[in-house]
Amino acid sequence: MTISELKSQLKLPVIVSPMFIVSGTRMAAECCKNGIVGSFPSLNGRHTEDFENMLNEITTELNQYEKETGKKPAPYAVNLIVNKTNPRLMPDLEKVIKHKVPIVITSLGAVKEIVDAVHSYGGLIFHDVIKKRHAEKAAEAGVDGIICVSAGAGGHAGTAHPFALINEIKKFYKGAIVMAGSISTGNEVLAAQIAGADFCYMGTRFIATEECLAVPEYKQMIIDSGIGDIIYTDGVSGVNANFIVKSIENAGVDLGHKKEEDFSKLTGEHAKAWKDIWSAGHGVTEISEVLPVKKLIEKLENEYKKGIEKVKTIESGINF
């Protein structure tokens, strides 16, 4: 598959990010059925065997959908953590190759051998970065796309403005660019394209869907939150990421009286990162309800089309 072929298979240029714990095969499959890329981390299977079961589940469901409707679903993606601390990398990669996963998203390391392995069966590989140095290594490894994780993104995020990060990377990289960070509407998807991105990464917005594995309290907390309710810290997982303040407070930490270092690596008996302390990006500001994936994508598509009409209006000088 090529980037052009991927674009032709999508209703919207959107990739739903693979989120630890909360991204399952049901949500991923619904995304694919409705014309965008759904995904999940391999580590959401507790063991490699569980991960392979997930691959079997989504493949079976998407094949059945195509057989029943005659419509080809969008391809799905799997996230691999490329790090020496991940003992699952090579066993999980073997399953990726066996099942010919259409798109692989790598994090925490771009390795040419993994890129070559995915390319060997015709798959695409994207790598997420937060700075130029990481992007340069990914480009050298031969990835098909670079995910620019900018300020305000949920999960492990960077601090750069998305437009600036994209422009810096596009100076030396000619592959596909994915913009990540606070994208929750169809208008914002269009804006990202105008700014030079080929695709958009959306995570937080899809936590507030019926198919997401997040508990109801997590979804409601996203609806109730604004930018000021998100904290960027390495105190929870050891790596800088955006978390919902209320979930940290619910873990027993009074942020009004404690400094960030006082809750460094807060895990164990009281709360665990990602499971009990919940992540979200600044895009929470646009989220006011929990929707089925199908309805959400229809909403995004409608907003996207209205955005195009707005651009045409501006271009014509009617409402500059």
Side-chain angles (χ1 to χ4, degrees):
M1 179 167 55
T2 65
I3 293 296
S4 294
E5 289 170 340
L6 172 60
K7 289 180 177 180
S8 70
Q9 294 179 47
L10 302 182
K11 181 183 294 184
L12 289 170
V14 171
I15 299 170
V16 178
S17 60
M19 296 173 283
F20 187 48
I21 298 178
V22 302
S23 292
T25 55
R26 182 185 173 210
M27 182 171 73
E30 283 304 306
C31 290
C32 297
K33 291 176 186 177
N34 288 281
I36 64 175
V37 176
S39 70
F40 53 88
S42 69
L43 294 180
N44 276 6
R46 296 188 63 182
H47 308 284
T48 296
E49 292 75 16
D50 294 330
F51 170 50
E52 183 165 31
N53 288 337
M54 295 176 75
L55 295 176
N56 286 326
E57 286 173 9
I58 193 165
T59 301
T60 299
E61 185 167 352
L62 294 181
N63 286 342
Q64 185 65 26
Y65 170 80
E66 184 171 3
K67 180 179 179 181
E68 292 177 353
T69 66
K71 299 177 182 178
K72 188 174 181 61
Y76 71 94
V78 163
N79 174 230
L80 295 177
I81 302 298
V82 183
N83 190 288
K84 293 179 180 179
T85 62
N86 177 22
R88 289 266 305 272
L89 175 59
M90 296 314 295
D92 288 356
L93 178 61
E94 289 178 4
K95 300 304 180 185
V96 164
I97 296 169
K98 174 183 175 182
H99 290 266
K100 297 183 179 180
V101 174
I103 302 169
V104 173
I105 297 168
T106 52
S107 305
L108 303 180
V111 179
K112 188 177 188 304
E113 288 74 17
I114 294 176
V115 174
D116 291 344
V118 174
H119 285 167
S120 71
Y121 63 80
L124 291 175
I125 187 160
F126 291 77
H127 185 70
D128 58 20
V129 308
I130 63 172
K131 58 182 64 175
K132 178 184 177 182
R133 178 169 58 85
H134 300 157
E136 288 173 336
K137 290 184 177 180
E140 290 173 4
V143 300
D144 300 289
I146 290 178
I147 303 166
C148 300
V149 186
S150 56
H156 295 139
T159 58
H161 188 285
F163 293 175
L165 184 58
I166 284 177
N167 287 334
E168 185 170 57
I169 291 173
K170 285 175 75 73
K171 288 181 179 178
F172 62 86
Y173 181 69
K174 304 306 177 185
I177 293 290
V178 185
M179 183 188 289
S182 304
I183 300 173
S184 294
T185 70
N187 288 331
E188 291 158 359
V189 172
L190 179 61
Q193 282 186 296
I194 294 171
D198 297 279
F199 306 95
C200 285
Y201 220 39
M202 299 181 75
T204 301
R205 184 61 191 91
F206 279 81
I207 296 175
T209 59
E210 293 179 0
E211 293 85 353
C212 182
L213 294 174
V215 296
E217 294 81 3
Y218 186 177
K219 297 177 184 181
Q220 187 60 48
M221 196 174 288
I222 283 177
I223 291 172
D224 295 338
S225 295
I227 294 174
D229 300 303
I230 307 299
I231 184 171
Y232 182 71
T233 176
D234 64 355
V236 176
S237 67
V239 179
N240 278 313
N242 280 309
F243 290 93
I244 306 175
V245 170
K246 185 65 175 177
S247 68
I248 296 175
E249 293 175 338
N250 287 348
V253 177
D254 185 348
L255 294 175
H257 295 86
K258 293 184 180 239
K259 294 182 179 179
E260 183 175 309
E261 56 265 28
D262 290 329
F263 62 93
S264 178
K265 300 178 183 178
L266 182 59
T267 58
E269 296 181 2
H270 302 292
K272 293 184 178 180
W274 313 111
K275 180 178 182 295
D276 305 298
I277 300 177
W278 299 324
S279 178
H282 292 173
V284 293
T285 57
E286 300 283 355
I287 305 171
S288 60
E289 59 184 336
V290 175
L291 294 171
V293 165
K294 180 179 175 62
K295 292 293 184 182
L296 174 55
I297 294 174
E298 289 175 351
K299 182 174 184 289
L300 293 172
E301 186 178 20
N302 186 50
E303 292 167 344
Y304 182 82
K305 290 178 178 178
K306 287 184 177 179
I308 291 175
E309 292 306 312
K310 177 68 173 177
V311 170
K312 290 179 179 178
T313 299
I314 293 173
E315 189 176 37
S316 66
I318 296 174
N319 183 27
F320 188 72

